[in-house]
Amino acid sequence: MPSNEQRRAAAQRKLERQLANRAARARKRKQLTIAGSVLGVVVLVAAGVGVYFLTKGDDDKSKDAALAGSVNCTYNASRQPAAKPVNKPRTDGIKTTGGDAKLSVSMDTSAGPIGLTLNNAKAPCTVNSFASLVGQKYFDGTTCHRMTAGEGLKVLQCGDPTGTGTGGPGYTFDDEYPANQFPPGDPSAQMPIPYKRGVVAMANGGPSTNGSQFFLVYGDSQLPPAYTIFGTVDEPGLATLDKIAAAGQDNSGGQGDGKPNVPVEIKNIQID
């Protein structure tokens, strides 16, 4: 029969395990909760555009299979109404190759220009949605409401007309690259991977809750592959992001997480 001292030691070990597990869950929540979603949970929601990988300029060594020349997309009505009146994107015959496979986009912001190259070869439904929102001037006059500056997560989040992190376009759509590289239930899908400086990705509130919010990575970051990558930022755009980051954020969302100290307004976005 265990002695009182043995019971106390066992209880202490159990408490230590509980505290360690709690800390691990807290770290995971902080990492995953990148921005407000249409579900009211804060996670990154952005227009995902497939970049061949997570890094800029690498050769494709991933296990992904090539998409067909065109795909059909599904955009489901969300429980939350659109933050700004907008029509759903078209759904049929979305090109993944040819002239429509890459889009050059210019963001004119109050902090300076940010050029994007979107590649729908890996995330055609995300790019299609983003292009539709751009064409309807959904992003014009909106602010980038969140910036993170913590270890392992350096992003500027935009795309919510309400500026609160909870707004969306009134519809959601499925995750694409790199989330679609993992079979259902694969534990690897929970493991952080590099989201390199210059990546543009979607924010979301959980699997397949993409809407309009997106984030721009200004410093190498680590995230689970749950956020659709849809493009890259050009060099002048990275200089603009560096200027925004240098001004810091107000820690209103916790240490290293808050609104940019210098407000960032998207004056307009245009497809070149």
Side-chain angles (χ1 to χ4, degrees), residues 3 18 30 44 97 145 160-161 165 179 183 187 191 193 205 209 219 229:
S3 65
Q18 289 174 336
K30 183 177 181 182
L44 298 166
T97 59
H145 60 275
D160 173 13
M191 302 299 293
I193 60 175
T209 59
I229 293 175

Side-chain angles (χ1 to χ4, degrees), residues 152-194:
L153 187 60
K154 294 177 169 57
V155 305
L156 177 70
Q157 188 166 330
C158 315
D160 173 13
T162 72
T164 64
T166 62
Y171 63 83
T172 61
F173 55 95
D174 288 346
D175 300 322
E176 294 183 291
Y177 183 81
N180 60 10
Q181 301 302 294
F182 299 86
D186 188 342
S188 299
Q190 305 301 317
M191 302 299 293
I193 60 175

Side-chain angles (χ1 to χ4, degrees), residues 28-52:
K28 186 176 181 181
R29 282 196 301 270
K30 183 177 181 182
Q31 189 175 51
L32 290 176
T33 306
I34 301 181
S37 76
V38 294
L39 302 181
V41 185
V42 204
V43 191
L44 298 166
V45 193
V49 177
V51 154
Y52 236 74

Side-chain angles (χ1 to χ4, degrees), residues 79-146:
R79 287 182 289 178
Q80 183 173 335
K84 187 176 180 178
V86 70
N87 296 319
K88 287 184 181 180
R90 64 189 181 95
T91 59
D92 297 335
I94 309 305
K95 297 292 186 181
T96 63
T97 59
D100 293 336
K102 287 183 180 289
L103 292 176
S104 294
V105 175
S106 297
M107 292 177 55
D108 180 17
T109 80
S110 57
I114 300 177
L116 309 177
T117 299
L118 310 184
N119 185 348
N120 67 348
K122 291 294 185 290
C125 295
T126 307
V127 178
N128 181 56
S129 172
F130 189 81
S132 173
L133 293 174
V134 168
Q136 297 179 73
K137 302 188 181 302
Y138 180 86
F139 299 115
D140 292 7
T142 64
T143 59
C144 294
H145 60 275
R146 188 178 185 198

